[in-house]
Amino acid sequence: DSVWAALSRAYNSMDTNIHNNIHKQHEFQKQAVLADESLTNDEKTLTVRYLIKSYDRNKIINNEGTRRICENCNQKCLATLFCEYCVRSYLKAKFSNWTSENDEIDNLIQECQIGALEPGSIVEWIPYNKLQNIKYLTKGGFSEIYMANWIDGRYNEWDAKKQIGR
């Protein structure tokens, strides 16, 4: 709760006339969080990490910002916490490892994966054997609705050294 409150304070105290681009906004919010005396050092670290994830996503959406050379693929990428090109290459290489057994669905998932803006927003096909604690909830218009726990879980971040999502 304190992390979200600090993010909200940093955002709400920003003057968009002064901080009129994503770079100035990110820097202002980061400095506001670091100066926030209500946060512990661990909370500040976590809050700044959220800000960096958001900043990376915005740089990719807007296709703007300082690019860096990825240490793995040597391409100029925008994100600081991952390389958008390495993530896409990783996902493309895994296309043949899964199928919904419906080409239209597979193509849609692959399109969504290639267009993902960050590791935490990657759409995936989840095979039934990767679900546990499956419980029936209700009947919908044309289907039954269930709830389950995903054994492996979604990607949250990109491990640049191992070149895998985690």
Side-chain angles (χ1 to χ4, degrees):
D1 287 341
S2 58
V3 168
W4 297 116
L7 285 170
S8 181
R9 283 192 299 276
Y11 180 78
N12 290 328
S13 64
M14 183 174 52
D15 182 342
T16 55
N17 292 317
I18 296 169
H19 308 100
N20 54 9
N21 65 48
I22 62 171
H23 315 297
K24 290 178 183 177
Q25 291 169 1
H26 170 72
E27 192 56 36
F28 175 83
Q29 291 172 354
K30 185 172 84 172
Q31 292 308 317
V33 165
L34 293 173
D36 192 326
E37 294 179 4
S38 72
L39 297 173
T40 66
N41 285 338
D42 287 344
E43 289 170 329
K44 287 179 183 183
T45 300
L46 180 61
T47 309
V48 168
R49 188 134 182 108
Y50 283 125
L51 287 172
I52 293 170
K53 285 181 178 184
S54 176
Y55 183 50
D56 280 349
R57 184 181 60 253
N58 288 333
K59 288 191 299 184
I60 293 169
I61 288 170
N62 296 319
N63 193 28
E64 69 176 63
T66 304
R67 293 181 182 268
R68 67 177 177 86
I69 301 293
C70 172
E71 61 279 1
N72 295 304
C73 71
N74 293 318
Q75 293 202 55
K76 291 182 178 181
C77 59
L78 285 166
T80 52
L81 295 177
F82 60 94
C83 168
E84 55 270 27
Y85 300 104
C86 287
V87 172
R88 289 179 188 136
S89 294
Y90 170 78
L91 293 168
K92 283 181 184 177
K94 294 185 73 152
F95 282 174
S96 62
N97 295 351
W98 60 266
T99 181
S100 68
E101 298 181 9
N102 180 311
D103 288 341
E104 289 181 31
I105 291 173
D106 290 353
N107 290 336
L108 176 63
I109 292 172
Q110 290 170 3
E111 271 184 53
C112 290
Q113 287 183 339
I114 297 307
L117 299 174
E118 60 188 340
S121 66
I122 295 171
V123 174
E124 297 180 67
W125 175 258
I126 308 165
Y128 188 81
N129 66 353
K130 295 292 185 174
L131 301 173
Q132 64 185 13
N133 301 325
I134 301 166
K135 295 179 182 131
Y136 172 82
L137 291 179
T138 188
K139 205 170 209 167
F142 296 99
S143 64
E144 293 178 349
I145 302 169
Y146 292 82
M147 177 176 77
N149 293 334
W150 183 4
I151 294 169
D152 298 330
R154 68 183 178 102
Y155 299 120
N156 285 316
E157 297 190 0
W158 179 255
D159 187 324
K161 288 182 181 165
K162 294 180 183 176
Q163 286 294 290
I164 57 170
R166 54 185 164 113

